[in-house]
Amino acid sequence: MGLCFSRKSTVKKRSPPSSGSNRWSSRFRLSKKEDAFAQDRALAAAILFQQQLQNGGGGSVPFDRSMSLRYSNSKTNKKNQGALPRSSSSRSRSLIDPLLHPHQLVNKELTIDDLDTNHFVLVHGGGFGAWCWYKTIALLEEAGFKVTAVDLTGSGVHSFDTNSITSLSQYTKPLTDFLEKLADGEKVILVGHAFGGTCISFAMELYPSKVSKAVFVAATMLTSGQSALDIFSEKIFTHLPILFFLLVLSVNPCEMKSNDLMRKSQIFVYANGNDKPPTAIDLDKSLLKELLFNHSPAKDVALASVSMRPIPFSPVLENLSLSDINFGSIRRFYIETTEDNAIPIALQQSMISQNPPERVFHLKGADHSPFFSKPQALHRILVEISTVPST
């Protein structure tokens, strides 16, 4: 395969974090009194520190998340039942994403124990980590669900050098290891964001009996024989740096403004030398908000700017092998993000038309990171999907 990419800058091999875990293990709530930005940063640091203590500094040993207690309306203080908590964000609350108590977001007739599964497994996109799901984790656990957020290899606090990842199998190993260890008969709802869509597809093919439903959130939803490169190369002019668009999961061939943004954002990493293909790609931190978080709160943009890591190069080039009997047996749902500058809505709809899911949901006003920009609306959709029978 001929490769075409821009060499805007050469970056030396990066050293991975010294410790970490591949899943978060603590639950937390937003504080109403503390400053939002400082609180989130401190909270993230506390979580990482707790993981390091529990894992003895190891980067790939998983540990189980605990499931929060189910909410109980009978014990709720009647005086406070109608009150709504204040948002931790200083920006005005959108009417599209109103702030509600977690228990108000679940159908009052919904019984968690009656669901096919109450366990969500959240898979981040390229460059992100389990940390990006912190709002979704809190809302789902408050509603009585069990949640596992996975750090893929070389992502988040997983201590592995991104430049050394050579395959999709290696990249998704924390996810596939987790599914393999599930008890017989236990199923989960997989949720993949951005390139995480390719990752959950890979896992669905390997462990169809462990997956109840799959949710693609502004994600790459491929057909058998496709790679992410195939999806994005269809939408890009041949003179543009295709591999960059692929790795960043972003392209809009109809808008030069978007193309210019992608070009400005790219920073290729050549850990094996400048005469070899890139090993990873990083993003210009100053352009993160416009590219990925154009409708997200400033505090979340700040969290991402200190937490995002380079995206491994090889996994996105790999063609998926998906069968009807395995991948095709699982109910799929797609959540569109209408204000996405990374995977434009036209590209999302193109993937949907090529590989139609059972149902498509629309997150109006959401950017590429709806777990930041529209957490309440995203939560409502996930809860609704959980009520759909797996067969």
Side-chain angles (χ1 to χ4, degrees):
M1 175 188 300
L3 303 182
C4 175
F5 48 86
S6 168
R7 298 184 179 225
K8 176 180 177 181
S9 58
T10 300
V11 181
K12 295 182 179 180
K13 184 173 181 179
R14 299 178 173 224
S15 299
S18 59
S19 61
S21 166
N22 67 336
R23 295 204 304 277
W24 288 26
S25 65
S26 64
R27 47 189 300 252
F28 49 90
R29 298 182 177 87
L30 298 175
S31 172
K32 294 186 292 183
K33 296 181 180 180
E34 295 180 281
D35 175 78
F37 173 73
Q39 187 270 344
D40 285 341
R41 291 289 300 277
L43 186 56
I47 291 173
L48 297 183
F49 180 70
Q50 182 181 18
Q51 291 177 328
Q52 293 170 4
L53 292 178
Q54 290 184 311
N55 290 276
S60 61
V61 180
F63 58 91
D64 292 334
R65 289 183 53 80
S66 60
M67 187 177 80
S68 62
L69 296 177
R70 300 180 177 87
Y71 63 83
S72 174
N73 291 333
S74 62
K75 295 183 180 182
T76 303
N77 188 325
K78 293 183 178 180
K79 181 178 179 180
N80 297 324
Q81 277 185 339
L84 300 181
R86 291 184 350 177
S87 169
S88 64
S89 173
S90 60
R91 68 188 178 105
S92 300
R93 172 63 56 175
S94 168
L95 294 178
I96 300 173
D97 189 40
L99 184 64
L100 302 174
H101 282 299
H103 72 270
Q104 291 177 299
L105 301 178
V106 183
N107 188 314
K108 293 186 177 181
E109 309 210 347
L110 172 66
T111 302
I112 300 292
D113 290 332
D114 292 337
L115 299 176
D116 291 332
T117 178
N118 65 352
H119 191 173
F120 281 93
V121 175
L122 310 177
V123 182
H124 62 81
F128 290 83
W131 52 266
C132 72
W133 297 104
Y134 79 94
K135 293 180 181 179
T136 301
I137 292 171
L139 288 169
L140 286 173
E141 288 192 337
E142 283 296 321
F145 291 91
K146 184 177 181 179
V147 186
T148 300
V150 179
D151 272 324
L152 299 176
T153 304
S155 304
V157 294
H158 188 284
S159 59
F160 192 87
D161 184 5
T162 305
N163 296 290
S164 300
I165 299 173
T166 59
S167 68
L168 184 59
S169 175
Q170 182 183 15
Y171 183 55
T172 60
K173 192 173 188 301
L175 173 61
T176 55
D177 283 352
F178 173 79
L179 293 175
E180 183 179 14
K181 293 175 183 178
L182 287 176
D184 291 342
E186 184 177 357
K187 292 189 174 186
V188 300
I189 300 173
L190 287 182
V191 181
H193 169 247
F195 186 64
T198 299
C199 298
I200 67 172
S201 296
F202 181 82
M204 291 159 65
E205 179 64 25
L206 291 179
Y207 299 101
S209 64
K210 304 292 183 72
V211 182
S212 171
K213 289 175 280 286
V215 185
F216 294 76
V217 183
T220 49
M221 187 169 61
L222 311 179
T223 59
S224 185
Q226 282 186 320
S227 68
L229 174 61
D230 297 326
I231 288 293
F232 288 94
S233 62
E234 294 175 0
K235 299 292 181 181
I236 305 174
F237 298 120
T238 57
H239 68 276
L240 297 178
I242 294 178
L243 292 179
F244 162 68
F245 289 99
L246 161 66
L247 290 172
V248 186
L249 297 181
S250 48
V251 58
N252 189 335
C254 298
E255 299 181 9
M256 291 306 297
K257 179 180 178 180
S258 178
N259 291 337
D260 290 341
L261 176 61
M262 303 312 149
R263 290 185 181 187
K264 293 177 182 178
S265 301
Q266 64 182 352
I267 305 174
F268 284 102
V269 182
Y270 297 89
N272 296 328
N274 294 340
D275 58 337
K276 301 292 194 305
T279 52
I281 189 168
D282 210 346
L283 297 177
D284 186 334
K285 304 300 183 186
S286 67
L287 298 176
L288 284 180
K289 179 173 177 61
E290 187 177 358
L291 180 66
L292 305 174
F293 312 112
N294 46 301
H295 286 286
S296 296
K299 63 186 179 66
D300 293 322
V301 180
L303 176 64
S305 69
V306 297
S307 304
M308 293 191 72
R309 294 177 62 183
I311 306 164
F313 193 88
S314 295
V316 292
L317 304 179
E318 196 167 318
N319 294 328
L320 284 180
S321 178
L322 305 173
S323 65
D324 290 337
I325 193 172
N326 292 333
F327 173 83
S329 67
I330 301 169
R331 305 185 81 161
R332 288 180 293 118
F333 303 84
Y334 199 98
I335 301 178
E336 294 179 345
T337 47
T338 61
E339 303 298 323
D340 197 325
N341 285 342
I343 304 185
I345 187 65
L347 183 53
Q348 295 179 45
Q349 292 173 346
S350 175
M351 290 186 286
I352 290 170
S353 65
Q354 292 180 43
N355 189 16
E358 178 174 329
R359 184 174 173 187
V360 176
F361 295 85
H362 309 273
L363 272 179
K364 185 177 180 181
D367 57 22
H368 186 61
S369 306
F371 35 73
F372 290 157
S373 59
K374 297 295 176 186
Q376 304 281 345
L378 175 62
H379 174 73
R380 286 194 293 272
I381 293 174
L382 293 178
V383 171
E384 181 177 351
I385 291 174
S386 74
T387 66
V388 178
S390 59
T391 55

